Amino acid sequence: MSKGIFDGLKVCDFMWAAAGPITTKQLSDNGATVVKVESFKHPDSIRLGGPFIDNKPGINRSGFFADFHSSKLGMAVDMSHEDRLDIIRPLVEWADIVADSFRPGTMQKWGLGYEDLKKINPRIIVLSSSLHGATGPWSRHPGYGAQGAALAGIQHMTGWSDRPPATPKGAYSDSVSPRYALTALMAALIHRERTGEGQFVELAQIEATVQLVAPQLLDLQVTGHEAQRSGNRKDGAIQHGVYRCTGDERWIVIECETEIQWRALRETLGAPERLDTARTIGPDSLDEAIAALTAPQDAFELSERLRAAGVPAAVAYKGSDLLEDPILEARDHFWPLHHEEMGTLKYNGPAYRFEKTPTVLRSASPRLGEHTEHVMTDLLGFSEADIAGFRDRGLLG
């Protein structure tokens, strides 16, 4: 079997929640040895977030946590212990990368700031991801993804014009920033390969998310037009919306940008004159007319007929649809991995395919401290007596 593209790369991973672990998952799933370090007195908070397998909460039962931590090793250390560096220092010496997503100042408090780390390992690359970044007046302010999306301008543009701003599903900046973090990290690795120098890479999740609204910011500066909430409408489109179909929470997305698509839509829905009249009256009337025609129809069947007619359309999938989608199945997107407590679950695979170095999800997410002894002995060279001594001192979970 071909080795992953990051085979041989060693990562000391202090990332937590979502923004950080999504970044290091791309490394672990592609061959890197990623050791997730958690404080067993204060484990990753996302372990406490559902959904939980069988709806039974538990520190090792979160599907939310699981999907971000495939192919990683997990070790549990008391990071509040005064002797924590007795374990962490050898881990830093071993690593190529140290990554964290804590509030700036946390790593320094533990004696693990960049200046400390490069004294331990001069070639170390440090990636630090936080909501507001490591500098600036809000650098030490705690933050979360929904707050980040609001401060990046996303919420103001999301929703309907006659209602308050809406919040996109999930912690939006947590989903955006890992893509920039991974790119920056790869650039730092290339730099080190050429020069032998490590470096500190810091990322502000808000600034990463602002990149999404670059077209709207440019429009504002050039024309003075400020983007506003417009529901499901799309500028320049004849029609663009989401409409209910028959069944439990079944919806279809339909868009027409050209007159050819419009004619195909009106013929496929079978009420050309009614739709022409509604279009003349205005977009609200058109949405109502289309919704009345889609309501009694099966979303999947209607989607197929519309696409066959040349109309852009798709079913608004539920999560359960994704797990059974024939296209994703044909591309082997989901990887079934066995977890000792949760059983076999489908994990998200990559959105890309390497021809020469294919991605392999090697293992399910680690239980808290599952690989502590393996990391201590096989990677760091500690003896069984050393480990027993650390446990006696309360350092290991």
Side-chain angles (χ1 to χ4, degrees), residues 3 56 87 89 110 117 138 193 197 203 296 306 372 383:
K3 293 183 178 180
K56 297 178 181 178
I87 294 173
R89 185 183 292 108
W110 289 337
L117 293 170
W138 277 35
E193 184 175 320
E197 297 175 338
L203 176 143
L306 287 170
T372 297
S383 67

Side-chain angles (χ1 to χ4, degrees), residues 157 159-160 216 225 227-243 253-258 261 283-284 286-287 312-313:
M157 293 182 286
W160 283 261
Q216 288 77 19
H225 171 258
Q228 301 294 326
R229 296 183 293 284
S230 56
N232 291 321
R233 302 275 162 72
K234 178 181 177 182
D235 289 342
I238 297 171
Q239 171 277 330
H240 183 277
V242 182
Y243 306 97
V253 181
I254 306 173
E255 176 179 7
C256 289
E257 288 195 321
T258 68
Q261 292 171 349
D284 288 341
L286 180 56
D287 277 340

Side-chain angles (χ1 to χ4, degrees), residues 325-338:
D325 180 61
I327 296 175
L328 293 175
E329 183 177 353
R331 287 180 54 78
D332 297 319
H333 174 77
F334 291 109
W335 289 66
L337 300 173
H338 182 73

Side-chain angles (χ1 to χ4, degrees), residues 3 16 22 61 121 201 224 243 353 376 385 389:
K3 293 183 178 180
W16 72 291
I22 292 173
R61 301 179 65 81
N121 184 346
V201 180
Y243 306 97
R353 301 292 186 274
M376 295 291 287

Side-chain angles (χ1 to χ4, degrees), residues 88-103:
I88 302 301
R89 185 183 292 108
L91 193 60
V92 173
E93 292 172 347
W94 164 85
D96 295 297
I97 296 169
V98 172
D100 84 273
S101 55
F102 298 124
R103 189 192 318 184

Side-chain angles (χ1 to χ4, degrees), residues 19-258:
I22 292 173
T23 304
T24 50
K25 171 183 166 69
Q26 305 307 309
L27 304 178
S28 62
D29 285 345
N30 285 290
T33 301
V34 176
V35 177
K36 180 176 177 62
V37 182
E38 291 180 83
S39 178
F40 60 84
K41 290 186 176 180
H42 188 186
D44 192 330
S45 62
I46 209 169
R47 285 184 178 275
L48 305 177
F52 297 104
I53 191 72
D54 299 326
N55 292 319
K56 297 178 181 178
I59 200 72
N60 296 312
R61 301 179 65 81
S62 169
F64 195 10
F65 175 90
D67 200 44
F68 299 152
H69 294 87
S70 54
S71 309
K72 297 180 184 180
L73 303 174
M75 70 179 300
V77 180
D78 181 4
M79 292 303 297
S80 66
H81 198 288
E82 60 182 2
D83 295 332
R84 58 186 166 268
L85 293 185
D86 289 355
I87 294 173
I88 302 301
R89 185 183 292 108
L91 193 60
V92 173
E93 292 172 347
W94 164 85
D96 295 297
I97 296 169
V98 172
D100 84 273
S101 55
F102 298 124
R103 189 192 318 184
T106 300
M107 294 291 280
Q108 287 85 342
K109 179 185 67 176
W110 289 337
L112 295 172
Y114 178 58
E115 295 301 319
D116 304 304
L117 293 170
K118 70 179 182 179
K119 289 177 183 177
I120 301 172
N121 184 346
R123 286 173 50 86
I124 200 71
I125 293 172
V126 175
L127 170 65
S128 184
S129 169
S130 62
L131 191 71
H132 302 283
T135 60
W138 277 35
S139 62
R140 302 298 179 94
H141 197 290
Y144 301 90
Q147 176 191 1
L151 291 171
I154 300 293
Q155 262 85 325
H156 177 76
M157 293 182 286
T158 306
W160 283 261
S161 59
D162 59 342
R163 304 180 195 176
T167 301
K169 168 68 174 68
Y172 210 65
S173 63
D174 283 20
S175 298
V176 175
S177 61
R179 280 70 189 172
Y180 293 90
L182 188 63
T183 302
L185 189 56
M186 295 305 96
L189 285 167
I190 292 170
H191 172 80
R192 189 179 67 181
E193 184 175 320
R194 292 174 175 172
T195 67
E197 297 175 338
Q199 63 176 304
F200 179 58
V201 180
E202 68 99 357
L203 176 143
Q205 294 163 21
I206 291 173
E207 292 175 11
T209 309
V210 165
Q211 307 301 317
L212 288 184
V213 298
Q216 288 77 19
L217 292 175
L218 181 62
D219 187 26
L220 174 63
Q221 294 174 85
V222 173
T223 70
H225 171 258
E226 183 173 9
Q228 301 294 326
R229 296 183 293 284
S230 56
N232 291 321
R233 302 275 162 72
K234 178 181 177 182
D235 289 342
I238 297 171
Q239 171 277 330
H240 183 277
V242 182
Y243 306 97
R244 184 179 289 278
C245 292
T246 187
D248 182 30
E249 286 297 316
R250 283 301 178 194
W251 302 78
I252 189 169
V253 181
I254 306 173
E255 176 179 7
C256 289
E257 288 195 321
T258 68

Side-chain angles (χ1 to χ4, degrees), residues 353-375:
R353 301 292 186 274
F354 290 117
E355 177 190 3
K356 304 298 184 183
T357 55
T359 303
V360 175
L361 275 65
R362 293 167 288 166
S363 59
S365 61
R367 290 168 291 160
L368 182 61
E370 179 176 355
H371 303 104
T372 297
E373 292 194 9
H374 165 64
V375 171

